[in-house]
Amino acid sequence: MSSKMVIITQKTLRKKLTHILSLLVFTSIFAQNEHSKAIVEIENLSKERAKAFNQSDAKTIASYFTLDAILMAPNKNVQIGQESIEAYYQGLFDNFNLELDSYYEEVEVSGNMAYGRGEAIVKATPKNGGETITTSSKYLNILRRQSDGSWLTTHDIWNEN
């Protein structure tokens, strides 16, 4: 029986360690960039949804939700699915002129799931006359990355401050 002796020089060991550390740093930077990119994409989705809201565009709002999404508005029945969510918003737009100002205070991403916690102010003026009502709310959105890399909302819940 023969045994082989492996001799690793300090120079070889330093090269290998340097290579491993370089890979770890690159992987970490790549992961941070992907995480930051996801946060920006989610914040942009929220801005686009708010823009659609301010244009009274229920169909576009619903398109930012998954097909089986859940909307939990205060004092309302749970709305499930894009069609139901579109109908909910269309009902609001049929009865009110609305103006929304909203923003995320926090966005967290973990793999293909994320959440956004935010604040919103809505000004609602009844179309049949009456004074404008202003409400302030806090909300939570849960989002899932889709197979094409985009993000859609799976759950949306809010209540008044």
Side-chain angles (χ1 to χ4, degrees):
M1 279 179 104
S2 72
S3 66
K4 292 186 180 180
M5 193 184 243
V6 177
I7 299 174
I8 299 176
T9 65
Q10 283 185 337
K11 185 176 180 181
T12 302
L13 186 57
R14 264 186 263 146
K15 280 184 176 179
K16 289 185 183 279
L17 286 174
T18 301
H19 181 69
I20 291 169
L21 287 173
S22 296
L23 284 173
L24 288 173
V25 168
F26 175 77
T27 303
S28 175
I29 291 170
F30 179 77
Q32 287 174 351
N33 286 342
E34 286 299 307
H35 186 264
S36 297
K37 180 182 171 192
I39 290 172
V40 168
E41 290 170 351
I42 290 166
E43 289 173 339
N44 287 340
L45 176 118
S46 180
K47 289 175 186 173
E48 288 301 313
R49 206 166 101 185
K51 180 179 173 183
F53 185 94
N54 287 326
Q55 294 172 344
S56 300
D57 186 350
K59 187 171 192 66
T60 298
I61 292 171
S63 75
Y64 293 115
F65 287 84
T66 60
L67 293 175
D68 59 348
I70 296 173
L71 179 80
M72 295 181 281
N75 304 313
K76 301 290 182 192
N77 291 330
V78 173
Q79 306 299 312
I80 300 175
Q82 285 182 341
E83 288 181 15
S84 183
I85 291 168
E86 181 180 347
Y88 168 81
Y89 281 106
Q90 191 59 56
L92 290 176
F93 300 144
D94 289 346
N95 293 294
F96 296 93
N97 292 313
L98 297 163
E99 182 182 328
L100 169 68
D101 181 22
S102 68
Y103 57 91
Y104 281 136
E105 292 184 336
E106 172 186 15
V107 175
E108 289 292 331
V109 177
S110 180
N112 289 328
M113 297 299 295
Y115 72 84
R117 179 182 61 82
E119 297 281 333
I121 296 173
V122 175
K123 294 179 183 176
T125 305
K127 287 188 174 181
N128 64 358
E131 292 187 30
T132 299
I133 302 163
T134 302
T135 59
S136 173
S137 301
K138 53 195 162 293
Y139 63 90
L140 184 67
N141 298 149
I142 300 173
L143 303 102
R144 182 173 49 232
R145 188 187 323 258
Q146 305 302 294
S147 60
D148 67 358
S150 66
W151 291 89
L152 292 177
T153 302
T154 63
H155 294 76
D156 185 6
I157 185 171
W158 69 94
N159 58 30
E160 290 185 28
N161 290 328

